[in-house]
Amino acid sequence: MNTNGQPWTDDVGDLIQAHGGMILHHGNTYYWYGENKGVDNYRNAEGVNMVPFIGISCYTSPDLLTWHHAGIVLSEATDPTNTLTKESICERPKVLYDAERGRFVMWCHYDTPDYKYAGNLVAIADNPTGLFQVQRVLRPNGKESRDMTVYQDGEHTYLIHSSDMNKTLYFSEMTPDLTDCTGFNAKAFVDQEREAPTVFHDGDWYYTITSGCTGWKPNPALFSRSHFLFSNQKLIDNPCVGSRARTTYDGQPTYVLPVNGQYYLMLDHWQRFDLKHSGYSILPIEIHGRDLEIPWTDTPFGGPIQ
Ligand code: GAL
């Protein structure tokens, strides 16, 4: 049984390597995509403490409790463009299903070892377990993109990305084939330095939950709400409670997962000098009127999933 805040293990007892990830529900299966950081840290030529790029892993589950490693679905070996190397930064993978074309599209934060390129990598697969083939590396609408997520709102899909030296979060509309951005975008939280974005919608409100920008070190999460995705985004409060609220329970948001009408916040608990042992937690989001509260629970999902 996995415990929130700790490293988690898969169905054969190996450490789950799916950091900065997300869970996609497709058919009867849940697919957990994330960064495979399953080797030792080192200091790269730029002096950045990191792990070499191994790939993006996918784990499958019928019930969100037991996870089976379906393998590395994006790696140097599966990249026909030779964009990915051991030194590449490829973080926070998010996968969308393109029903019209019957294919899966992965967006990641793609970067040079010094984190100065600040763009995205887009990869496509016919099956959810890959293998994903890199289509392109881009800066969305010519803008920087570091921490990012994706969000589907009816027929529209958006890339939400920290930009302008992480000072601003952009909501950028994607093209219908989900491999580029249209140029239609909006800024949120200008000069507020928010990253690790997550987005969901409940009732009349769009909510985002973000972290501050302190690298691997934890800081207070904040939620915002707005009637519109593209305007009036306003930071409201920290949804965490209790003595560990100021460090988001020593975690950082990576995705909001809806299951049967309940929303769950996925957190990474980074171990910055030993990234492969970084933990995970999945916490139920309580909605009280217009406000969010996310109490700590040791048990993933706060207990049995309803
Ligand atoms: C964090 C970010 C992580 C990773 C890290 C590198 O701010 O959320 O995804 O990029 O910085 O220091």
Side-chain angles (χ1 to χ4, degrees):
M1 184 68 180
N2 290 310
T3 303
N4 276 339
Q6 303 297 316
W8 289 13
T9 50
D10 66 12
D11 57 352
V12 295
D14 290 338
L15 284 181
I16 293 182
Q17 291 296 332
H19 309 282
M22 64 90 70
I23 295 174
L24 175 76
H25 191 199
H26 185 77
N28 295 325
T29 303
Y30 292 95
Y31 298 88
W32 183 359
Y33 300 93
E35 303 156 31
N36 190 318
K37 294 190 174 299
V39 289
D40 290 344
N41 278 47
Y42 79 113
R43 195 164 281 279
N44 74 10
E46 312 292 332
V48 179
N49 167 48
M50 61 185 295
V51 293
F53 173 71
I54 303 171
I56 302 302
S57 269
C58 177
Y59 292 80
T60 57
S61 176
D63 56 9
L64 295 164
L65 295 176
T66 55
W67 292 97
H68 176 73
H69 192 203
I72 291 182
V73 297
L74 174 74
S75 68
E76 276 183 270
T78 66
D79 174 11
T81 70
N82 293 323
T83 316
L84 292 168
T85 69
K86 292 263 175 304
E87 285 73 41
S88 300
I89 305 287
C90 187
E91 295 180 333
R92 296 185 176 267
K94 302 290 176 280
V95 175
L96 296 156
Y97 177 55
D98 175 355
E100 201 180 320
R101 291 160 194 81
R103 63 188 192 179
F104 297 82
V105 185
M106 179 186 289
W107 283 70
C108 306
H109 167 201
Y110 176 79
D111 229 318
T112 41
D114 55 5
Y115 280 96
K116 287 194 178 142
Y117 173 68
N120 295 110
L121 177 142
V122 181
I124 290 180
D126 291 334
N127 295 297
T129 53
L131 299 173
F132 283 83
Q133 303 247 310
V134 177
Q135 297 297 303
R136 64 174 71 160
V137 160
L138 74 155
R139 271 187 166 177
N141 306 319
K143 300 288 182 192
E144 287 182 349
S145 176
R146 289 195 175 85
D147 279 10
M148 41 70 64
T149 195
V150 297
Y151 179 69
Q152 265 174 323
D153 189 32
E155 289 176 4
H156 298 276
T157 307
Y158 301 94
L159 175 73
I160 296 100
H161 51 113
S162 298
S163 195
D164 303 345
M165 297 299 288
N166 282 351
K167 297 250 179 286
T168 303
L169 199 70
Y170 279 71
F171 288 71
S172 299
E173 184 191 53
M174 285 189 195
T175 52
D177 71 357
L178 310 178
T179 66
D180 204 349
C181 290
T182 61
F184 184 51
N185 63 29
K187 293 182 187 188
F189 317 139
V190 176
D191 287 337
Q192 299 299 309
E193 300 197 359
R194 307 308 298 169
E195 65 175 10
T198 62
V199 180
F200 68 103
H201 182 261
D202 187 80
D204 291 339
W205 298 100
Y206 290 95
Y207 294 94
T208 70
I209 305 173
T210 54
S211 76
C213 291
T214 54
W216 302 116
K217 292 186 202 156
N219 57 58
L222 290 175
F223 78 86
S224 78
R225 67 168 173 256
S226 170
H227 286 306
F228 310 100
L229 208 49
F230 263 48
S231 64
N232 297 337
Q233 293 277 357
K234 189 178 164 205
L235 292 167
I236 308 284
D237 204 353
N238 183 343
C240 304
V241 289
S243 61
R244 293 166 64 220
R246 285 196 61 77
T247 59
T248 312
Y249 312 118
D250 306 318
Q252 187 183 32
T254 184
Y255 196 65
V256 168
L257 171 69
V259 185
N260 302 333
Q262 168 69 52
Y263 296 97
Y264 296 91
L265 178 64
M266 297 174 65
L267 296 176
D268 292 296
H269 297 264
W270 301 114
Q271 297 291 326
R272 63 196 163 111
F273 298 116
D274 183 18
L275 285 162
K276 66 173 174 299
H277 283 112
S278 299
Y280 309 101
S281 52
I282 302 183
L283 302 170
I285 300 175
E286 296 179 6
I287 303 174
H288 301 293
R290 303 180 304 169
D291 291 325
L292 304 185
E293 205 169 277
I294 310 178
W296 178 255
T297 65
D298 286 333
T299 309
F301 297 95
I305 301 162
Q306 301 301 317

